[in-house]
Short mmCIF file of all heavy atoms in Angstrom, two decimals:
data_model
loop_
_atom_site.label_atom_id
_atom_site.label_comp_id
_atom_site.label_asym_id
_atom_site.label_seq_id
_atom_site.Cartn_x
_atom_site.Cartn_y
_atom_site.Cartn_z
N THR A 392 40.13 116.13 116.99
CA THR A 392 40.83 117.22 116.31
C THR A 392 40.55 118.55 116.97
O THR A 392 41.46 119.37 117.13
CB THR A 392 40.42 117.28 114.83
OG1 THR A 392 40.67 116.01 114.21
CG2 THR A 392 41.21 118.36 114.09
N LEU A 393 39.31 118.79 117.36
CA LEU A 393 38.96 120.03 118.05
C LEU A 393 39.73 120.15 119.36
O LEU A 393 40.20 121.23 119.73
CB LEU A 393 37.46 120.10 118.31
CG LEU A 393 36.56 120.36 117.11
CD1 LEU A 393 35.09 120.29 117.51
CD2 LEU A 393 36.87 121.72 116.47
N LYS A 394 39.88 119.02 120.05
CA LYS A 394 40.66 119.03 121.30
C LYS A 394 42.12 119.35 121.02
O LYS A 394 42.75 120.13 121.75
CB LYS A 394 40.53 117.68 122.00
CG LYS A 394 41.20 117.65 123.37
CD LYS A 394 40.97 116.31 124.06
CE LYS A 394 41.61 116.30 125.45
NZ LYS A 394 41.39 114.99 126.14
N GLU A 395 42.65 118.79 119.95
CA GLU A 395 44.04 119.07 119.57
C GLU A 395 44.23 120.53 119.18
O GLU A 395 45.31 121.11 119.38
CB GLU A 395 44.46 118.17 118.42
CG GLU A 395 44.57 116.70 118.79
CD GLU A 395 44.84 115.81 117.59
OE1 GLU A 395 44.73 116.32 116.45
OE2 GLU A 395 45.15 114.62 117.79
N LEU A 396 43.18 121.14 118.62
CA LEU A 396 43.25 122.55 118.24
C LEU A 396 43.14 123.48 119.44
O LEU A 396 43.39 124.69 119.31
CB LEU A 396 42.14 122.88 117.23
CG LEU A 396 42.25 122.21 115.85
CD1 LEU A 396 41.03 122.55 115.01
CD2 LEU A 396 43.52 122.65 115.15
N GLY A 397 42.74 122.94 120.60
CA GLY A 397 42.68 123.76 121.81
C GLY A 397 41.30 123.90 122.41
O GLY A 397 41.13 124.63 123.40
N LEU A 398 40.30 123.22 121.84
CA LEU A 398 38.95 123.32 122.38
C LEU A 398 38.80 122.34 123.54
O LEU A 398 38.31 121.23 123.39
CB LEU A 398 37.91 123.03 121.30
CG LEU A 398 36.44 123.28 121.70
CD1 LEU A 398 36.24 124.72 122.16
CD2 LEU A 398 35.51 122.95 120.54
N LYS A 399 39.27 122.78 124.71
CA LYS A 399 39.23 121.95 125.90
C LYS A 399 39.24 122.84 127.13
O LYS A 399 39.55 124.03 127.05
CB LYS A 399 40.43 121.00 125.91
CG LYS A 399 41.77 121.69 125.75
CD LYS A 399 42.88 120.67 125.57
CE LYS A 399 44.20 121.35 125.25
NZ LYS A 399 45.28 120.39 125.00
N PHE A 400 38.86 122.24 128.25
CA PHE A 400 38.77 123.01 129.48
C PHE A 400 40.17 123.40 129.97
O PHE A 400 41.17 122.78 129.62
CB PHE A 400 38.06 122.20 130.57
CG PHE A 400 36.61 121.98 130.30
CD1 PHE A 400 36.13 120.73 129.93
CD2 PHE A 400 35.71 123.04 130.39
CE1 PHE A 400 34.79 120.53 129.67
CE2 PHE A 400 34.36 122.85 130.14
CZ PHE A 400 33.90 121.59 129.77
N CYS A 401 40.18 124.46 130.77
CA CYS A 401 41.44 124.90 131.38
C CYS A 401 41.16 125.27 132.84
O CYS A 401 40.01 125.30 133.28
CB CYS A 401 42.03 126.08 130.62
SG CYS A 401 41.03 127.59 130.70
N LYS A 402 42.20 125.56 133.57
CA LYS A 402 42.04 125.94 134.97
C LYS A 402 41.33 127.29 135.08
O LYS A 402 41.52 128.18 134.24
CB LYS A 402 43.40 126.01 135.65
CG LYS A 402 44.11 124.66 135.72
CD LYS A 402 45.48 124.77 136.37
CE LYS A 402 46.16 123.40 136.42
NZ LYS A 402 47.51 123.47 137.04
N ILE A 403 40.51 127.43 136.12
CA ILE A 403 39.74 128.65 136.32
C ILE A 403 40.66 129.87 136.43
O ILE A 403 40.36 130.94 135.92
CB ILE A 403 38.87 128.55 137.59
CG1 ILE A 403 37.83 127.42 137.43
CG2 ILE A 403 38.15 129.88 137.86
CD1 ILE A 403 36.85 127.62 136.31
N ARG A 404 41.80 129.70 137.06
CA ARG A 404 42.70 130.84 137.23
C ARG A 404 43.26 131.31 135.89
O ARG A 404 43.59 132.49 135.74
CB ARG A 404 43.82 130.50 138.21
CG ARG A 404 44.87 129.54 137.75
CD ARG A 404 46.02 129.50 138.77
NE ARG A 404 47.11 128.63 138.38
CZ ARG A 404 47.20 127.35 138.67
NH1 ARG A 404 46.21 126.79 139.39
NH2 ARG A 404 48.23 126.62 138.28
N TYR A 405 43.35 130.41 134.92
CA TYR A 405 43.80 130.81 133.59
C TYR A 405 42.76 131.70 132.92
O TYR A 405 43.10 132.67 132.23
CB TYR A 405 44.07 129.59 132.72
CG TYR A 405 45.26 128.77 133.15
CD1 TYR A 405 45.48 127.49 132.62
CD2 TYR A 405 46.19 129.24 134.08
CE1 TYR A 405 46.57 126.72 132.99
CE2 TYR A 405 47.28 128.48 134.47
CZ TYR A 405 47.46 127.22 133.92
OH TYR A 405 48.54 126.47 134.31
#
Side-chain angles (χ1 to χ4, degrees):
T392 304
L393 288 175
K394 186 176 181 180
E395 291 174 349
L396 293 175
L398 187 57
K399 53 189 173 183
F400 292 108
C401 65
K402 296 179 180 179
I403 297 297
R404 71 171 182 270
Y405 292 167

